[in-house]
Amino acid sequence: EEEAAGCPCTPMASARPLQAPPHPGITVVSWNVLAPRWCSKERFPHSDVSCMEWNYRKERILEKVQQCQADVVCLQEVEVKVWEGELEAKVESMGYKMVKQQEKKKGIKAVGNAILYKTATFNGVEFEVHRSRVMALGLMRSSSKSPTTDQDAKELWVIACAHLDATKPKHRLSQLKSMFKHLEKQKLDCTSRVVVCGDFNAEPHSDVAKTMRNREERANESPGLVFESAYSAHWKKEPMTYSVKGWNGTLDYLWYTHSSIGVTDVRPVFDSSLQADTIKRQGLPSADIPSDHMPIGATFIPVEPSEEIKLLIKAKADAKEARSRAKAKAKSVSCERKRQRCTKGGIIADERKASSKSARKRQLKLERLQKNRNEKLVKGNEPARKTRKSKGGTAKSNKTRPGSCESWVMVNGKSSDDDLEARTNEWVIIDATSTMDVDDDDLKAEAEVLKTKPQYANSVLFPALFRYLTY
């Protein structure tokens, strides 16, 4: 204990590396490395200043990454400016490819997550998911040869790295739900191999941890992504991962889909109980641990889903197919009803059009009949015209003389226009031969006479009124 509490910049022996996994397995390590901008004496007054200098801390971080020998290393609080160049080159020299978290419109985050994966283990990245606090990679690797094709089979491992909000619990829950929402968009199910790790900024009794465990408890209800904690499964409890002077607890987790992944080993958080007691008493960062968080890790192997899970998958697939059929049927019924409405509407429109056309025909027919009737009436009221030959042999027209009985017509005064105000209750006998070329003024005058002096109706001729009433 005295040796551990000696010179603050004397590193202690590191924890043992994870056991090498069998061929189909992988090792995953998660670590919040504490961004340089947030490592200060004001925030960590209990730590020695020399242990918080970035030049010292970055060497310890690279040593830890090298000692882990993990296939995937998930880092939080990666400050891009200090990692670009030298550190990223050193990481690549260890056989890793570094993928940094990106923002939607701003590009790579100034301080965010990063995932390092061994290029010797994985063939490449199938997809990337970038959210405000979470990033995920779909890493493809070759597994053992397929018995049917005698070729290396491909298997997908989805690794998600999270650093949830440190101050607002509601934000942590929304960020967690956003992560699952976007992971499920990749059409993942309980047969998919998914590991979610990182700094959740939440203790085991928090709503965030309960949400993860609730997903675990719903294993028999839904064959979706069902998670279990690697340390809880292997040690039956969560280890201490964060320590500052006066507070120690669990903030970092490794969750995995236990329906498709098994845990063969977990990384010891501390080298010894002596180191654990020293860190609890003095807090972090320290000479040996260059961050306020401890690295955690586990070895995972793929497993075949149980018969129960397979039945659940089949039931889910059947339910999905049934929903698709019902949706297609509903769409077909809706289309048929729409077609019937359109057809019915078209028939009604055609009927209305035909009815309108028939009405128009009837109207035209009535107009023609009225016109023919008026023509007949006019012809019937014209005076007879006789022609006789003169002595010279030329034909002469013999008009009926005015006042003769053939030229007198009886006209009912009630049939006249209201504008003329010619209203009589008797028939008017007028001379038909006196209606030629009569002005409207004459017509009005005659109507006025007929209106004011009806006693003249039987004795006075009204040629203009006759012309109006007959033509």
Side-chain angles (χ1 to χ4, degrees):
E1 183 172 349
E2 292 177 359
E3 183 181 356
C7 177
C9 291
T10 302
M12 298 177 65
S14 60
R16 66 169 175 83
L18 292 166
Q19 294 179 359
H23 176 66
I26 64 170
T27 56
V28 180
V29 168
S30 176
W31 192 15
N32 184 328
V33 295
L34 183 59
R37 64 175 64 187
W38 294 324
C39 184
S40 63
K41 191 66 176 178
E42 288 76 15
R43 292 191 64 183
F44 305 101
H46 54 277
S47 300
D48 190 274
V49 176
S50 59
C51 295
M52 292 189 291
E53 293 179 358
W54 177 243
N55 288 333
Y56 174 80
R57 291 178 58 236
K58 70 180 182 180
E59 297 300 330
R60 303 288 79 78
I61 292 172
L62 291 174
E63 287 177 7
K64 291 291 184 183
V65 173
Q66 181 69 38
Q67 290 165 3
C68 290
Q69 292 296 314
D71 296 300
V72 181
V73 180
C74 295
L75 302 178
Q76 300 90 49
E77 292 193 22
V78 174
E79 193 167 340
V80 174
K81 286 185 178 180
V82 299
W83 277 82
E84 285 180 338
E86 179 186 359
L87 287 182
E88 193 168 355
K90 287 185 177 181
V91 166
E92 291 180 356
S93 68
M94 298 177 191
Y96 290 105
K97 174 69 175 178
M98 187 176 190
V99 181
K100 296 180 282 292
Q101 186 180 1
Q102 298 181 10
E103 291 185 291
K104 188 174 183 180
K105 296 181 179 179
K106 299 180 182 179
I108 296 175
K109 290 192 71 172
V111 179
N113 301 322
I115 296 179
L116 317 178
Y117 68 90
K118 281 285 185 84
T119 54
T121 305
F122 298 98
N123 300 333
V125 179
E126 289 295 307
F127 64 83
E128 297 183 18
V129 175
H130 295 274
R131 305 302 298 161
S132 63
R133 289 284 186 160
V134 183
M135 67 174 295
L137 299 182
L139 300 174
M140 189 67 71
R141 65 168 292 183
S142 299
S143 62
S144 56
K145 290 184 177 181
S146 171
T148 56
T149 62
D150 196 31
Q151 295 180 353
D152 288 344
K154 302 287 185 180
E155 63 182 25
L156 181 68
W157 287 79
V158 180
I159 310 296
C161 179
H163 186 199
L164 304 185
D165 193 281
T167 58
K168 299 179 181 179
K170 290 184 178 179
H171 286 192
R172 289 196 286 269
L173 283 174
S174 63
Q175 290 159 5
L176 187 65
K177 292 177 181 178
S178 175
M179 174 186 70
F180 284 119
K181 179 181 177 181
H182 285 81
L183 283 179
E184 288 170 356
K185 284 183 178 180
Q186 303 300 325
K187 299 181 179 179
L188 306 177
D189 55 28
C190 60
T191 62
S192 304
R193 300 174 179 89
V194 184
V195 176
V196 180
C197 60
D199 178 6
F200 286 71
N201 274 312
E203 297 183 78
H205 62 271
S206 66
D207 291 338
V208 170
K210 287 178 182 178
T211 300
M212 297 297 297
R213 284 193 292 272
N214 287 340
R215 294 182 74 87
E216 175 183 334
E217 292 167 1
R218 291 198 297 271
N220 295 328
E221 301 176 9
S222 173
L225 298 177
V226 184
F227 291 91
E228 187 174 351
S229 170
Y231 281 93
S232 292
H234 207 69
W235 282 359
K236 306 303 180 185
K237 65 176 183 179
E238 296 291 344
M240 182 188 78
T241 64
Y242 178 83
S243 177
V244 294
K245 196 170 185 179
W247 192 89
N248 306 285
T250 302
L251 298 180
D252 304 83
Y253 301 87
L254 271 166
W255 303 92
Y256 69 99
T257 49
H258 68 86
S259 60
S260 57
I261 298 176
V263 179
T264 61
D265 187 26
V266 293
R267 184 183 190 276
V269 178
F270 304 100
D271 296 335
S272 63
S273 59
L274 178 63
Q275 185 192 37
D277 292 339
T278 303
I279 290 176
K280 286 180 182 179
R281 186 174 62 254
Q282 297 181 355
L284 296 173
S286 67
D288 189 52
I289 307 299
S291 175
D292 54 345
H293 289 256
M294 297 293 296
I296 58 175
T299 302
F300 301 103
I301 59 171
V303 296
E304 283 294 324
S306 63
E307 291 300 322
E308 182 181 3
I309 293 296
K310 289 180 179 179
L311 290 175
L312 286 172
I313 294 173
K314 187 176 184 302
K316 183 179 179 181
D318 293 343
K320 184 177 181 180
E321 185 178 356
R323 287 195 300 270
S324 299
R325 288 198 300 267
K327 187 176 180 180
K329 184 177 179 181
K331 185 176 181 181
S332 176
V333 170
S334 176
C335 292
E336 179 62 23
R337 289 177 179 175
K338 186 176 181 180
R339 187 189 66 79
Q340 290 176 359
R341 287 196 299 270
C342 293
T343 303
K344 185 177 180 180
I347 292 174
I348 292 174
D350 292 342
E351 289 177 352
R352 289 177 178 173
K353 186 176 180 180
S355 176
S356 177
K357 189 174 182 179
S358 300
R360 180 61 181 164
K361 285 183 178 179
R362 288 194 299 271
Q363 181 67 21
L364 293 174
K365 185 176 181 180
L366 289 174
E367 290 177 358
R368 286 196 301 271
L369 290 174
Q370 187 67 27
K371 183 177 181 182
N372 294 337
R373 182 185 175 192
N374 292 339
E375 290 177 353
K376 289 180 180 179
L377 287 174
V378 171
K379 289 180 179 180
N381 291 331
E382 288 182 353
R385 296 184 179 183
K386 296 181 180 179
T387 58
R388 59 184 180 84
K389 290 185 178 180
S390 61
K391 294 181 180 180
T394 59
K396 293 186 177 178
S397 175
N398 186 19
K399 295 183 179 179
T400 303
R401 296 186 304 276
S404 67
C405 60
E406 295 178 354
S407 65
W408 291 71
V409 180
M410 295 181 67
V411 178
N412 189 352
K414 292 182 180 180
S415 62
S416 60
D417 194 298
D418 290 342
D419 293 338
L420 300 176
E421 298 182 350
R423 298 185 180 89
T424 63
N425 295 324
E426 301 176 1
W427 289 83
V428 180
I429 301 175
I430 58 178
D431 187 0
T433 61
S434 62
T435 61
M436 300 303 176
D437 301 323
V438 179
D439 296 333
D440 289 341
D441 293 337
D442 297 336
L443 177 63
K444 292 180 181 179
E446 292 177 5
E448 184 66 20
V449 170
L450 188 61
K451 175 184 176 183
T452 56
K453 298 180 180 181
Q455 62 272 23
Y456 294 114
N458 296 327
S459 58
V460 180
L461 293 179
F462 298 95
L465 182 63
F466 174 79
R467 176 176 174 273
Y468 176 79
L469 295 176
T470 57
Y471 287 83

